[in-house]
């Protein structure tokens, strides 16, 4: 058990270093010259490929966790802690480094009022004036930042290569010859689950997660933060989102035991609705500096609801088909990313906010329909598992 715990800790800190670099670069990608969304769309497409791999890999990982209950409990807690470290590293440390490095840029002059008028919901991409607030950082600063991120990646590989111990299979007696189902069989079961009407309604929830994350990382950072303040503030803004997301994920996972999922879904919907309406009306200006950090913090709180409660909902509702259910979840979330970044290059920000508003409304209506239908069944999974802790669902999708 001690060896397994050591491996969990090594992997956690290895991922912390790795995602420090990955998260920082991902936040900066949409605001660089060359068009917002092009590199991010490629990242979303890679998520599609990863989804196809998850159904085949998960049985092997779960088989390796067949250890005694005490060891499994420690491992699960360690994995959840590792996930929190990954979220914090992706949302905080990588962005902090980029902000400190780009903070060395020469002090910019006063941003023209013409540009400020084209910021925010009024930004139609081609109408934005390219001034010193959105100019590309110097090559020296770019090389410095890439050097730091490369060093983090190298340290992550070195840490795991030196300290990670080989994992020995620990299968229950009588299951030594049991093999994981073939890849195509598992992949087929993923799409077969779409026959379930409940899943067809609920696919809007993971798509909403993809839409709203894409908007914050692609449009808010470019059309609000970079346009009105400069690229050096992008990291600080994303720190607020990442920290709020990670901390609220832990809080909501525990709070769901007492309030149930419906209350938290309502909280997330109301919070994101308020942010969307405010972003449509707000005219960003450098004199309103604190406001730039309030929006990503509230956005992170809403995203924490989707990340924890969606996982819990899918885990309870499709308890007998969790592999296929969570594969569908990641697939439709990635599709939300692809669609959002696909239209990012030719739609005005105001239109994107209206699209997000429509997806949010439809997703909540569909969720309400499923919740109502299942609650009428005396033996329905939602009725029986209404007070099931959200961590169970989150754990299933992270293993």
């Amino acid at each position: 058990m001690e060896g397994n715990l050591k491996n969990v800790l090594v992997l956690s800190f290895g991922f912390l270093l790795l995602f420090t670099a990955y998260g920082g670069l991902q936040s900066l990608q949409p605001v660089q010259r060359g068009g917002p969304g092009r590199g991010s769309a490629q990242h979303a497409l890679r998520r599609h490929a990863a989804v196809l791999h998850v159904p085949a890999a998960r049985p092997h990982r779960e088989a390796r966790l067949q250890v005694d209950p005490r060891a499994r409990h420690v491992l699960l807690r360690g994995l959840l802690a590792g996930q929190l470290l990954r979220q914090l590293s992706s949302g905080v440390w990588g962005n902090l480094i980029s902000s400190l490095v780009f903070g060395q840029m020469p002090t910019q002059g006063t941003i023209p009022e013409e540009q400020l008028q084209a910021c925010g919901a009024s930004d139609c991409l081609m109408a934005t004036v390219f001034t010193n607030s959105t100019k590309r950082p110097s090559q020296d600063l770019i090389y410095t930042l890439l050097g730091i991120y490369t060093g983090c990646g190298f340290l992550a590989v070195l840490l795991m290569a030196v300290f990670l111990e080989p994992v020995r299979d620990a299968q229950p007696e009588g299951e030594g010859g049991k093999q994981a189902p073939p890849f195509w069989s598992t992949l087929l079961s993923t799409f077969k689950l779409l026959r379930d009407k409940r899943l067809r309604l609920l696919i809007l929830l993971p798509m909403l997660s993809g839409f709203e994350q894409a908007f914050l990382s692609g449009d808010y950072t470019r059309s609000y933060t970079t346009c009105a303040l400069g690229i050096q503030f992008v990291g600080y803004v994303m720190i607020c989102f990442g920290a709020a997301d990670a901390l609220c994920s832990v809080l909501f996972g525990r709070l769901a035991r007492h309030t149930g999922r419906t209350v938290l879904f309502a909280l997330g919907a109301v919070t994101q609705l308020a942010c969307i309406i405010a972003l449509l009306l707000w005219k960003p200006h450098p004199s309103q500096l604190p406001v730039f950090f309030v929006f990503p913090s509230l956005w992170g709180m809403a995203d924490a609801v989707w990340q924890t409660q969606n996982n819990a909902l899918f885990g309870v509702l499709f308890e007998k088909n969790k592999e296929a259910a969570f594969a569908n979840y990641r697939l439709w979330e990635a599709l939300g990313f692809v669609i959002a970044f696909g239209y990012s290059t030719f739609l005005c920000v105001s239109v994107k906010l209206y699209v997000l508003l429509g997806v949010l409304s439809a997703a909540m209506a569909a969720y309400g329909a499923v919740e109502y239908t299942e609650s009428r069944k005396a033996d329905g999974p939602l009725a029986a598992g209404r007070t099931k802790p959200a961590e169970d669902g989150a754990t299933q999708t992270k293993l």
Side-chain angles (χ1 to χ4, degrees):
M1 185 173 76
E2 293 180 359
N4 289 329
L5 181 58
K6 175 185 175 183
N7 280 349
V8 170
L9 293 175
V10 171
L11 286 172
S12 296
F13 283 102
F15 280 130
L16 186 149
L17 290 169
L18 186 62
F19 279 93
T20 290
Y22 177 79
L25 287 172
Q26 183 184 9
S27 297
L28 292 171
Q29 206 170 31
V31 299
Q32 292 298 319
R33 224 183 273 204
R38 183 171 60 183
S40 300
Q42 294 172 353
H43 167 69
L45 289 171
R46 288 196 297 271
R47 291 173 66 110
H48 270 294
V51 167
L52 298 181
H53 173 72
V54 166
R58 285 173 56 88
H60 297 286
R61 293 200 295 270
E62 291 184 348
R64 291 179 181 272
L65 285 175
Q66 297 297 326
V67 293
D68 66 86
R70 290 177 300 172
R72 185 177 177 88
H73 177 71
V74 172
L75 284 173
L76 292 180
R77 290 179 64 89
L79 287 169
L80 288 174
Q83 173 64 13
L84 177 59
L85 280 175
R86 185 192 70 79
Q87 285 183 277
L88 283 170
S89 66
S90 177
V92 177
W93 306 121
N95 289 308
L96 179 60
I97 291 173
S98 68
S99 292
L100 292 175
V101 171
F102 287 154
Q104 306 303 313
M105 293 174 63
T107 303
Q108 65 181 38
T110 303
I111 300 177
E113 287 297 325
E114 310 89 76
Q115 177 180 332
L116 293 176
Q117 292 298 319
C119 293
S122 302
D123 186 8
C124 287
L125 303 181
M126 298 305 294
T128 302
V129 181
F130 215 79
T131 67
N132 59 353
S133 70
T134 54
K135 69 180 181 181
R136 182 182 177 88
S138 68
Q139 287 297 114
D140 289 342
L141 291 180
I142 292 176
Y143 289 146
T144 299
L145 183 63
L146 292 179
I148 294 174
Y149 286 157
T150 302
C152 290
F154 176 77
L155 286 177
V157 174
L158 184 63
L159 178 67
M160 289 186 281
V162 174
F163 295 103
L164 199 61
E165 297 180 358
V167 177
R168 294 175 296 178
D169 288 332
Q171 295 179 341
E173 294 183 6
E175 297 187 6
K178 185 177 180 180
Q179 296 181 350
F183 169 75
W184 290 111
S185 174
T186 310
L187 181 62
L188 185 60
S189 67
T190 299
F191 292 102
K192 278 185 176 180
L193 193 59
L194 287 170
R195 297 174 180 174
D196 193 321
K197 180 181 178 181
R198 300 170 301 175
L199 179 61
R200 294 199 300 270
L201 285 172
L202 291 178
I203 60 176
L204 286 172
L205 284 177
M207 289 189 71
L208 170 64
S209 178
F211 271 90
E212 54 92 9
Q213 290 183 64
F215 178 85
L216 187 84
S217 62
D219 296 297
Y220 183 81
T221 54
R222 181 188 187 278
S223 300
Y224 289 84
T225 305
T226 305
C227 185
L229 298 178
I231 192 174
Q232 66 271 25
F233 281 90
V234 169
Y236 293 127
V237 163
M238 293 304 293
I239 284 175
C240 294
F241 170 76
D245 200 338
L247 296 177
C248 287
S249 293
V250 176
L251 174 63
F252 293 155
R254 297 179 181 275
L255 191 61
R257 299 176 181 178
H258 308 286
T259 64
R261 285 183 298 274
T262 305
V263 173
L264 292 180
F265 269 111
L267 174 64
V270 170
T271 301
Q272 202 142 64
L273 174 63
C275 287
I276 292 173
I277 295 175
L279 287 173
L280 282 168
L281 301 175
W282 181 44
K283 297 294 184 182
H285 195 278
S287 62
Q288 304 167 330
L289 186 61
V291 183
F292 287 89
F293 302 98
V294 171
F295 279 111
S297 298
L298 293 174
W299 208 270
M301 185 176 75
D303 184 68
V305 173
W306 312 141
Q307 298 305 317
T308 58
Q309 303 314 305
N310 286 351
N311 284 320
L313 179 64
F314 273 64
V316 173
L317 198 61
F318 307 102
E319 187 172 5
K320 296 181 180 179
N321 298 284
K322 286 184 179 179
E323 296 290 334
F326 285 118
N328 269 287
Y329 181 90
R330 296 305 173 195
L331 174 65
W332 294 106
E333 182 183 42
L335 183 60
F337 271 100
V338 172
I339 295 174
F341 283 122
Y343 62 59
S344 179
T345 57
F346 59 85
L347 290 183
C348 296
V349 175
S350 59
V351 177
K352 298 174 191 177
L353 284 169
Y354 283 121
V355 171
L356 184 56
L357 180 60
V359 174
L360 174 63
S361 302
M364 289 301 100
Y367 161 72
V370 172
E371 190 80 52
Y372 175 76
T373 302
E374 292 298 313
S375 65
R376 292 175 63 86
K377 300 178 183 178
D379 57 346
L382 292 187
R386 193 171 301 279
T387 59
K388 187 172 183 178
E391 292 95 335
D392 291 350
T395 300
Q396 289 292 337
T397 192
K398 303 302 180 188
L399 288 180

